Amino acid sequence: MAALRWVVAVVASVAAFFAVAVPWAVLSSGGSDPWEVIGPVAGVVAAGVLAALGWWASQAAAAGGGGSVRTVRQSAQARGNIR
């Protein structure tokens, strides 16, 4: 399940890159916007998508119970004047 989430995250990131870069390159009049501008802007969008979906993908083990679950038990006792 976690591997599938990571595949979705990476594919969506690549799709976001092309969703920004291809229309910009096609619609720019005469190709006046160089790829030195289009590539980094599309890369920032793709990195944002990957960051968001990467967080989502990393939550698979915690939510699904597939990973190790840690429980912490804590107790304290005291006598006297506690401040």
Side-chain angles (χ1 to χ4, degrees):
M1 182 66 168
L4 180 61
R5 284 187 177 204
W6 278 106
V7 168
V8 169
V10 170
V11 168
S13 177
V14 171
F17 179 87
F18 286 113
V20 171
V22 171
W24 189 350
V26 170
L27 295 176
S28 63
S29 59
S32 62
D33 290 333
W35 276 100
E36 289 84 9
V37 175
I38 295 172
V41 170
V44 167
V45 171
V49 170
L50 185 59
L53 292 179
W55 174 84
W56 169 73
S58 68
Q59 302 302 311
S68 63
V69 177
R70 295 183 182 186
T71 57
V72 176
R73 302 182 98 188
Q74 189 172 4
S75 64
Q77 295 180 352
R79 293 184 188 198
N81 193 9
I82 302 172
R83 295 182 189 193

